[in-house]
Structures are given as C-alpha cells and as structure tokens.
C-alpha cells in the first residue's frame, strides 16, 4: 500500500485506517492491543478514535477507547512514533448529558479542554489529526435527510470560533492537522474559506460515511473536496455489518448473530437498521457472490478503489476480521462489476443516508 497525503497537511497515512470504536465495548483491552499490533505489522499505520468512544456511547464507556490506546502506547513506547493518531471532539449533545453537561454548543474552550483530556487518556503529547466529530450547525446528519432553514432555538459557536480554538492547539504543538466529520459541502467550503481568509489552520480531512448503501458523498461533496484539496476518510465501509452478509438470512433479530445490529437495540433504530438499508445490502451481497467474491470483499474493494477516498476506516472485533479486511485490498473492481454496482444504486438509492 502506498501512503497517501491528507489534504495539504504533512500527514502521510496508509490507505486503510484502523477504527477503534469497538474497543472498550465489544473488544477488551488485551484483544484491542493484539489487533493494534497486528494492524501495524500488516502496514496499517493510521488509527482513528474519539473522546465519545466506545460505541454505542454510554456514560460508563466515555473515553474508554482512548484509555485503551493510551495503555497500548505506554506498554509499547516505540509504537507512538510509528502511527498517525487521529481523534475527535464530540459536537453538541445528542442526548449524551455526560459530555459537557449535555451542552447544545461546542465553544472554543470546550474544544481546547476536550483535546487536553484526550491527550491525557491517550498518554501522548500530540494528536496528529484532531477532528470535530459533528457540526455545531443544525444540519442533516446521522440519518436525517432535510436541511431546515429556520434559525436554531439557541445560538451556537461560529465556524471561525472553532477554527481559532483548533489554531490554538496547533500553535501549542498539541495537534498537527485538523479535520471535520459528518460534514456537508457547505460546511467544508466555509471551513476552508474562513481558514484561508483569517490565516487559520486549513482542514485536511472530512470523515463521513461512505459505502455501497450510503454514497451521499458522491453527490457534490466529492467535487467540493476535490477542488479544495480536502481528503475523504470513509467510515462504515461495511454499513455497520450489513455488507458482510451476516444479516442476509435472519435479519437483525437472528439469535445466531453477535454483530452490533443484533446486540444493540438502539442501533436498529438508526439509518443502518432501516428495512431499505438491509434490502439494498442484500442486493449488493448477492452481486458479490455472483462474481465469486464475499460480500466483505466487494464492499471494501469498492471503497479501496474509489478515487475520492483517501483512507478507508475499518472496524473489527476479531483478528480474523482484521485480516480479511486487509486482504481485500488486493481485490479488483473491473468495469463490468462497477457497472453492476451502479445499476443496483439506481434501484436502491442510498437508503442508509
């Protein structure tokens, strides 16, 4: 795998990133450390986490993932210099009153304090890529579809205020580069415009969902990011497990399954739990098998080969899953298969949006 540069930053990363949100919930510390070791051995030097993790978010597991990573760094001091470490500050509360008291805003002081808290949990002096997990602005995200132009009920911090907080962290040497997550084309454009206008840190990345059942980024965001030199980090490339084929037969209530959609009732209420999402996933999974591939191979190869994706974030709970996901890097997507993928999309249009 050839390293890729993130935006206009000096960060060079592997085109596969190890996501860690299962660490501290489905994955305990010993297994997490073994997975991290294995990923690094196989050439994965990019690790993504967040203050909010583990997932599904709970008061009891807030910060647990970062602590597990910090323990890994402490036990293996040489590892920190071998990886590019990304983390995220949570946006305004989405029912999580344990994060900044359930604040509906994300102020400059909140960003600075959150970063300092993450540094302590991670046992490091610097976070290579620090991201705002979701916008402060009331925009469609996490399954909502339509923008509401009505003024928000409460005032919220401006993009420039957030950028100035990130600039402070960069100036203090606590952060190397900055990014966004769950953002819109307008948001990306404004962050870049204001940064360039005020001489503030330019965002290097946007971490958004991207997979066969959610290709919303292909509709305008890809053009914006291409022209502004901002890199896409694709999360949920397997559609929360729907694109592995595990739910094809018994659905989410199959007692044989141990995936997130089977274990956590709240996940079934989200975009990945829509009947339309499962129907589309089944169509893609069937296509994979018709072409001699596993569903996982097709879903990951699609992301790995997409011109607009800089690095694909994989999440695993077993060593076998990690190896399978990395092995999929060598799977090609030819013109015939690519056309068949697009044909399914015409019928099942981004149901997990």
């Amino acid at each position: 795998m050839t390293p890729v540069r993130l935006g206009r930053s000096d960060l060079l990363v592997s085109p596969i990133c190890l996501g860690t949100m299962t660490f501290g919930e489905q994955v305990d510390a010993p297994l997490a450390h073994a997975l991290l070791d294995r990923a690094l051995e196989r050439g994965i030097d990019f690790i993504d986490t967040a203050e909010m993790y583990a997932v599904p978010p709970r008061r009891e597991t807030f910060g647990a993932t970062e602590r597990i990573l910090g323990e890994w760094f402490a036990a293996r001091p040489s590892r920190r210099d071998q990886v590019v470490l990304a983390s995220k500050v949570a946006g305004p509360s989405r029912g999580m009153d344990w994060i900044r008291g359930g604040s509906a805003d994300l102020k400059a002081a909140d960003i600075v304090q959150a970063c300092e808290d993450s540094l302590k949990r991670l046992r490091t002096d610097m976070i290579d890529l620090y991201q705002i997990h979701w916008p402060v602005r009331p925009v469609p995200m996490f399954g909502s579809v339509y923008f509401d132009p009505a003024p928000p009920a409460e005032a919220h911090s401006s993009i420039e205020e957030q950028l100035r907080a990130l600039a402070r962290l960069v100036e203090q040497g606590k952060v190397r580069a900055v990014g966004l997550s769950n953002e819109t084309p307008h948001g990306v454009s404004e962050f870049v415009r204001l940064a360039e206008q005020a001489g503030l840190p330019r965002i290097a990345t946007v971490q958004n969902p991207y997979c066969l059942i959610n290709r919303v980024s292909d509709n305008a965001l890809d053009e914006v990011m291409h022209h502004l030199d901002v890199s896409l980090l694709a999360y949920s490339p397997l559609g929360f497990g729907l694109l592995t084929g595990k739910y094809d037969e018994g659905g989410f209530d199959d007692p044989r399954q141990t995936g997130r959609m089977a274990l956590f009732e709240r996940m079934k209420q989200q975009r990945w739990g829509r009947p339309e999402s499962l129907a589309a996933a089944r169509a893609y999974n069937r296509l994979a098998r018709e072409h001699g591939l596993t569903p996982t191979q097709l879903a990951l190869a699609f992301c790995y080969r997409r011109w607009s994706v800089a690095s694909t974030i994989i999440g695993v709970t077993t060593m076998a899953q990690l190896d399978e996901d990395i092995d999929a890097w060598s799977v090609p997507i030819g013109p015939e298969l690519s056309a068949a993928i697009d044909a399914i999309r015409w019928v099942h249009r981004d149901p997990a949006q």
Side-chain angles (χ1 to χ4, degrees):
M1 291 181 285
T2 302
V4 295
R5 184 177 300 278
L6 298 182
R8 295 182 184 175
S9 74
D10 63 354
L11 300 181
L12 292 173
V13 304
S14 54
I16 300 176
C17 172
L18 181 61
T20 60
M21 70 179 187
T22 59
F23 296 1
E25 182 65 61
Q26 293 171 273
V27 177
D28 62 19
L31 176 55
H33 294 173
L35 290 168
L36 289 161
D37 287 336
R38 179 66 170 167
L40 194 55
E41 289 169 4
R42 297 209 56 185
I44 309 303
D45 64 3
F46 189 19
I47 300 171
D48 179 72
T49 189
E51 65 167 351
M52 186 191 76
Y53 295 165
V55 168
R58 296 187 293 124
R59 185 187 308 274
E60 296 78 8
T61 58
F62 173 75
T65 304
E66 288 187 328
R67 281 190 289 272
I68 288 173
L69 284 166
E71 293 164 1
W72 184 63
F73 289 135
R76 302 159 175 79
S78 64
R79 295 298 199 219
R80 181 62 190 91
D81 292 335
Q82 296 174 326
V83 302
V84 175
L85 176 64
S87 193
K88 299 182 282 290
V89 53
S93 177
R94 301 178 63 250
M96 296 177 285
D97 61 3
W98 57 90
I99 302 179
R100 286 176 284 284
S103 173
D105 198 3
L106 180 63
K107 299 178 180 178
D110 297 330
I111 294 173
V112 172
Q113 186 62 56
C115 181
E116 292 174 350
D117 292 343
S118 287
L119 288 169
K120 291 177 183 177
R121 287 189 292 266
L122 290 164
R123 304 195 197 186
T124 185
D125 296 326
M126 177 182 286
I127 295 171
D128 298 301
L129 177 65
Y130 198 53
Q131 307 151 97
I132 297 176
H133 208 153
W134 57 86
V136 173
R137 313 179 321 280
V139 298
M141 56 182 167
F142 300 121
S144 61
V145 178
Y146 301 109
F147 170 69
D148 184 352
E154 300 180 48
H156 56 262
S157 302
S158 67
I159 288 176
E160 183 171 345
E161 179 180 346
Q162 295 170 65
L163 279 170
R164 291 194 181 279
L166 294 171
R168 176 180 168 185
L169 293 169
V170 172
E171 291 165 1
Q172 293 175 341
K174 296 175 181 176
V175 167
R176 288 176 64 189
V178 300
L180 306 172
S181 186
N182 299 295
E183 259 298 355
T184 67
H186 171 73
V188 174
S189 298
E190 280 297 283
F191 267 92
V192 171
R193 183 183 70 83
L194 290 171
E196 292 181 341
Q197 178 178 293
L200 299 170
R202 197 179 194 278
I203 61 166
T205 59
V206 174
Q207 183 180 147
N208 272 19
Y210 190 73
C211 63
L212 290 170
I213 57 175
N214 184 338
R215 292 173 58 180
V216 175
S217 293
D218 287 341
N219 302 328
L221 184 61
D222 54 352
E223 180 185 14
V224 169
M225 295 178 67
H226 171 71
H227 288 294
L228 295 180
D229 290 332
V230 178
S231 296
L232 175 63
L233 307 180
Y235 78 73
S236 293
L238 294 175
F240 259 55
L242 274 68
L243 292 166
T244 67
K246 68 174 70 175
Y247 302 114
D248 281 4
E249 292 185 12
F252 304 136
D253 296 319
D254 188 339
R256 299 169 297 176
Q257 297 301 333
T258 58
R260 280 170 289 180
M261 297 301 295
L263 289 176
F264 306 113
E265 191 64 32
R266 63 188 298 178
M267 296 294 186
K268 301 174 187 178
Q269 311 307 316
Q270 299 178 11
R271 52 189 160 172
W272 312 105
R274 295 170 181 156
E276 296 85 354
S277 296
L278 183 56
R282 283 169 169 157
Y284 288 113
N285 297 340
R286 184 166 55 249
L287 176 67
R289 297 181 183 107
E290 290 171 353
H291 284 258
L293 302 175
T294 67
T296 296
Q297 287 176 323
L298 176 65
L300 289 176
F302 170 77
C303 287
Y304 292 162
R305 301 293 170 228
R306 196 69 181 169
W307 68 266
S308 56
V309 176
S311 190
T312 300
I313 303 172
I314 58 172
V316 301
T317 57
T318 69
M319 197 68 70
Q321 288 177 351
L322 176 61
D323 284 331
E324 181 182 16
D325 288 0
I326 298 174
D327 289 343
W329 177 258
S330 61
V331 175
I333 297 286
E336 179 185 352
L337 183 52
S338 181
I341 289 171
D342 285 341
I344 292 176
R345 190 182 183 222
W346 280 115
V347 178
H348 300 277
R349 193 75 174 184
D350 300 326
Q353 178 179 352

